[in-house]
Amino acid sequence: MAQLHPASTAAPLYLTGNKDGLREFLTKFDVFLFDCDGVLWSGDHTFPGTVETLELLRNNGKQLVFVTNNSTKSRADYCKKLQGLGIPSTVEEVFSSSYSSSIYISRILQLPENKLKVFVIGETGIEQELRSENVPFIGGTDPAYRRDVEPEDFKKIAEDDSSIIDPEVGVVLVGLDYHLNYLKLALAFHYIKRGAVFLATNIDSTLPSSGTLFPGAGSMSAPLIMMLGSDPTALGKPSQAMMDAIEGKFKFDRSRACMVGDRANTDIRFGLEGKLGGTLGVLTGVSSKEDFVSGPVRPHAYLDKLSDLLGSEL
Amino acid sequence: MAQLHPASTAAPLYLTGNKDGLREFLTKFDVFLFDCDGVLWSGDHTFPGTVETLELLRNNGKQLVFVTNNSTKSRADYCKKLQGLGIPSTVEEVFSSSYSSSIYISRILQLPENKLKVFVIGETGIEQELRSENVPFIGGTDPAYRRDVEPEDFKKIAEDDSSIIDPEVGVVLVGLDYHLNYLKLALAFHYIKRGAVFLATNIDSTLPSSGTLFPGAGSMSAPLIMMLGSDPTALGKPSQAMMDAIEGKFKFDRSRACMVGDRANTDIRFGLEGKLGGTLGVLTGVSSKEDFVSGPVRPHAYLDKLSDLLGSEL
């Protein structure tokens, strides 16, 4: 087998059906970081062979980490989802963009004493992880923000009226929000203009579900990016803030770690920029064979589907 | 007075307090196209002297056209607003992005017979103008679309279920929508992916109100632009589709027309790209003196405020 190439520009190895190639690939790594949706399952449908493939890796002593940009669920929720799909896992093996964001806010951002609150655009997963790090927040799933904007809101926001604007907000954190509305966007914009730090759990523009694509977390940030003319600091893949946090927790040797994913521009890029020993693309999600073989960001190797790893017969 | 420069790169003339300069400027034009919000008023507050300034222009035989990217109101609504602010006007003098969009759909787009419907993200102004051109539409202010997305919606949309996806939709038209939500964005994205034409009434990222900025129509398109990786055809300023429509209606000599506005990158650009004889910036809205004097898009002349035209004593 050829050496794994270090850059992203060489053609990736196609390993489906190549037993020796698969074995050689797998022995190079101790840790496998998995993107989940589009790799292990799609929506609520687990791909055939997912459970057996993960079992094969565990049986061969590999450490598994489930890395997800899904910010709507907490790690605990996500672990339950994995278990519900028949995939044994622990909360400690799950790394979500909402957790990564909470760690960034509580441990890395140096906020002034009177600007510690986070205004959240997002669902309960973000709230749970912020609570786990003792970060105060407003917005999120609070019904007070799930309403139509009213004419008087414009005036109150413009005047920093304390009935609607909290002067202690120092961060705006934007994740996937199924209840996005005009009021939340107006408030987020206003807070950022007043000096709040603009963070995003992740910037995936789309969300795969039911075999097609829906608005993703990046689409929630898009109006703010357009209005502000600047991008948020993103804490999910492919941000290396997430890789640093994962490494900080699992203390692995990057050269012995492999990122597995279905998206060239997030998952594979995440592994390449993180200088992991390997990246493995699968064709059960967003990116196509053409993306992997001749796109601008190419994995070291790719498979038709994750369960093709079973062909290693390890 | 120096010649009006033809390009947008020369320094603009500052005419406030310059009686002779003002007189010379005004005599060059027969038609004045006015941006409204930020020029004549802000929110519901008419600037002092607006009424008298427009009266002075009318008394000197100038044709006035009120050109607005505000798509939430129909021309009739907008005319009422002008009259309510003490500004005499007729529906015929009003040109809105919703009207421009409706004309574009009904008279310029060649839609297949079975794809004549428009899916609207926007408010009643768009609906009224589409009706005036007999364009069938869904979405808009229909309460059926003003609701939370439900888990079953994902499946139904993915499956083109006829209870939620109308196969006759051939256009998605996005304007300012105070009731923007996840469901509408998901549907708009799905329709465009199925082949619908992607139109925007306008792409202003922000909306001035109560002396500050709020999300504008462009912010409603932003998630779709990010998801699709492509821009809509925009029918409001600075799109020349709007200028062509105005000229088609008013039959004026462009060299004798002047665009008046507060935004360099929409109003002034609109006039410059339309090769109007003049462009006049005012400092009562979005752009600053610095924008006008040294930005990439510069008006031929600028004023502190519109009513400085009264200094011409014509």
Side-chain angles (χ1 to χ4, degrees):
Chain A
M1 188 178 110
Q3 280 293 299
L4 292 187
H5 54 83
S8 64
T9 46
L13 294 165
Y14 176 58
L15 292 177
T16 291
N18 177 351
K19 182 174 159 184
D20 291 344
L22 284 166
R23 287 191 170 203
E24 191 166 354
F25 189 85
L26 289 176
T27 58
K28 288 178 184 293
F29 308 110
D30 304 322
V31 179
F32 285 83
L33 309 182
F34 283 97
D35 175 53
C36 301
D37 212 335
V39 176
L40 308 179
W41 65 73
S42 177
D44 288 322
H45 166 71
T46 312
F47 295 130
T50 290
V51 175
E52 295 79 358
T53 306
L54 296 178
E55 194 173 24
L56 172 136
L57 293 170
R58 286 192 199 277
N59 288 345
N60 282 274
K62 312 298 185 188
Q63 159 91 56
L64 310 186
V65 184
F66 303 102
V67 183
T68 174
N69 274 3
N70 182 335
S71 65
T72 63
K73 290 183 166 61
S74 66
R75 287 169 298 154
D77 291 336
Y78 216 72
C79 188
K80 265 183 221 153
K81 168 157 186 161
L82 280 156
Q83 290 167 349
L85 293 164
I87 302 167
S89 61
T90 66
V91 172
E92 296 303 306
E93 288 175 329
V94 175
F95 221 93
S96 68
S97 64
S98 51
Y99 182 53
S100 176
S101 301
S102 300
I103 288 177
Y104 184 82
I105 294 168
S106 65
R107 307 186 194 179
I108 295 173
L109 272 188
Q110 302 286 329
L111 297 168
E113 273 303 310
N114 59 348
K115 294 283 180 191
L116 294 173
K117 277 190 199 168
V118 179
F119 178 71
V120 175
I121 290 184
E123 300 286 344
T124 179
I126 295 175
E127 296 178 324
Q128 290 180 57
E129 297 301 352
L130 288 173
R131 274 192 208 104
S132 78
E133 289 287 312
N134 296 311
V135 176
F137 64 88
I138 60 170
T141 63
D142 184 344
Y145 295 90
R146 290 186 175 176
R147 64 171 177 84
D148 289 344
V149 68
E150 300 294 341
E152 57 267 30
D153 290 322
F154 291 85
K155 196 150 176 283
K156 286 183 180 170
I157 291 173
E159 291 171 354
D160 278 337
D161 187 305
S162 63
S163 69
I164 197 162
I165 296 296
D166 187 330
E168 293 183 6
V169 167
V171 175
V172 169
L173 174 59
V174 183
L176 183 58
D177 189 340
Y178 297 121
H179 305 79
L180 183 72
N181 61 32
Y182 193 94
L183 178 65
K184 292 183 189 181
L185 289 173
L187 287 168
F189 176 69
H190 192 72
Y191 281 125
I192 297 167
K193 291 291 279 184
R194 287 175 92 254
V197 179
F198 181 20
L199 302 181
T201 56
N202 58 304
I203 50 169
D204 299 273
S205 63
T206 56
L207 173 79
S209 182
S210 303
T212 185
L213 297 174
F214 289 86
S219 298
M220 315 287 116
S221 290
L224 298 169
I225 293 170
M226 186 187 269
M227 292 172 77
L228 296 160
S230 63
D231 289 326
T233 298
L235 281 312
K237 295 171 289 180
S239 165
Q240 290 304 310
M242 186 138 174
M243 186 67 85
D244 293 345
I246 296 171
E247 188 190 35
K249 181 161 174 181
F250 294 101
K251 314 281 181 207
F252 58 84
D253 174 356
R254 293 196 185 204
S255 72
R256 300 279 304 163
C258 178
M259 177 71 207
V260 187
D262 67 308
R263 290 195 184 207
N265 66 352
T266 49
D267 300 322
I268 303 306
R269 190 175 146 207
F270 180 63
L272 290 169
E273 292 183 357
K275 301 200 187 335
L276 298 192
T279 50
L280 180 63
V282 295
L283 294 175
T284 45
V286 172
S287 291
S288 65
K289 179 175 171 177
E290 196 186 336
D291 294 332
F292 286 153
V293 171
S294 50
V297 180
R298 305 173 192 174
H300 294 92
Y302 72 104
L303 298 169
D304 290 345
K305 55 189 186 298
L306 182 70
S307 60
D308 291 343
L309 286 176
L310 294 170
S312 66
E313 294 177 23
L314 278 173
Chain B
M1 188 177 112
Q3 279 294 300
L4 292 187
H5 54 82
S8 64
T9 47
L13 296 165
Y14 176 59
L15 292 179
T16 293
N18 177 351
K19 182 174 158 183
D20 291 343
L22 284 167
R23 287 191 170 204
E24 192 166 355
F25 189 85
L26 289 177
T27 57
K28 288 180 185 292
F29 309 110
D30 304 321
V31 178
F32 285 83
L33 308 182
F34 283 97
D35 175 53
C36 301
D37 212 336
V39 176
L40 309 180
W41 65 73
S42 177
D44 287 322
H45 166 71
T46 311
F47 294 131
T50 290
V51 175
E52 294 79 359
T53 306
L54 296 178
E55 194 173 23
L56 172 136
L57 293 170
R58 286 192 199 278
N59 289 345
N60 282 273
K62 312 298 185 188
Q63 158 92 56
L64 309 186
V65 183
F66 303 103
V67 184
T68 173
N69 275 3
N70 182 336
S71 65
T72 64
K73 289 183 166 61
S74 66
R75 285 169 299 155
D77 291 337
Y78 215 72
C79 189
K80 266 183 220 153
K81 170 158 185 161
L82 280 155
Q83 289 167 350
L85 292 165
I87 302 168
S89 62
T90 66
V91 172
E92 295 302 307
E93 287 176 330
V94 175
F95 222 93
S96 68
S97 64
S98 50
Y99 182 52
S100 177
S101 301
S102 300
I103 288 177
Y104 183 81
I105 293 167
S106 65
R107 308 188 193 177
I108 295 173
L109 272 187
Q110 301 286 331
L111 297 168
E113 274 302 310
N114 59 348
K115 293 283 180 190
L116 294 174
K117 278 190 199 169
V118 179
F119 178 72
V120 175
I121 291 184
E123 299 286 344
T124 180
I126 295 175
E127 295 178 324
Q128 290 180 56
E129 297 300 353
L130 288 173
R131 274 191 208 103
S132 78
E133 290 287 313
N134 296 311
V135 176
F137 65 88
I138 60 170
T141 63
D142 183 344
Y145 295 90
R146 289 186 175 176
R147 64 170 177 85
D148 288 344
V149 69
E150 301 294 340
E152 59 265 31
D153 290 322
F154 291 86
K155 197 152 175 283
K156 285 182 181 170
I157 291 173
E159 292 171 354
D160 278 336
D161 187 304
S162 63
S163 69
I164 197 162
I165 295 296
D166 186 330
E168 293 183 5
V169 167
V171 175
V172 170
L173 174 59
V174 183
L176 183 58
D177 190 339
Y178 296 121
H179 305 80
L180 184 72
N181 61 32
Y182 192 94
L183 177 65
K184 292 182 190 182
L185 289 173
L187 288 168
F189 176 69
H190 191 73
Y191 281 125
I192 297 168
K193 291 292 279 183
R194 287 175 92 255
V197 178
F198 181 18
L199 302 182
T201 57
N202 58 305
I203 50 169
D204 300 273
S205 64
T206 55
L207 173 78
S209 182
S210 302
T212 186
L213 297 174
F214 289 85
S219 298
M220 315 288 117
S221 289
L224 298 169
I225 294 170
M226 185 187 270
M227 293 172 78
L228 296 160
S230 63
D231 290 325
T233 298
L235 281 311
K237 297 170 289 180
S239 165
Q240 290 303 311
M242 186 138 174
M243 186 68 86
D244 294 344
I246 296 172
E247 188 190 34
K249 182 162 172 178
F250 294 102
K251 314 280 181 206
F252 59 83
D253 174 356
R254 291 196 186 205
S255 73
R256 299 278 305 163
C258 178
M259 176 71 207
V260 187
D262 67 307
R263 291 196 182 205
N265 66 352
T266 50
D267 300 322
I268 302 306
R269 191 175 144 207
F270 180 62
L272 289 169
E273 292 184 355
K275 302 201 185 337
L276 298 192
T279 51
L280 179 65
V282 294
L283 295 174
T284 46
V286 172
S287 292
S288 65
K289 179 175 171 176
E290 197 186 336
D291 294 332
F292 286 153
V293 171
S294 50
V297 180
R298 304 173 193 173
H300 294 93
Y302 72 104
L303 299 169
D304 290 345
K305 56 189 186 299
L306 182 70
S307 60
D308 291 344
L309 287 176
L310 294 170
S312 66
E313 294 177 20
L314 278 174

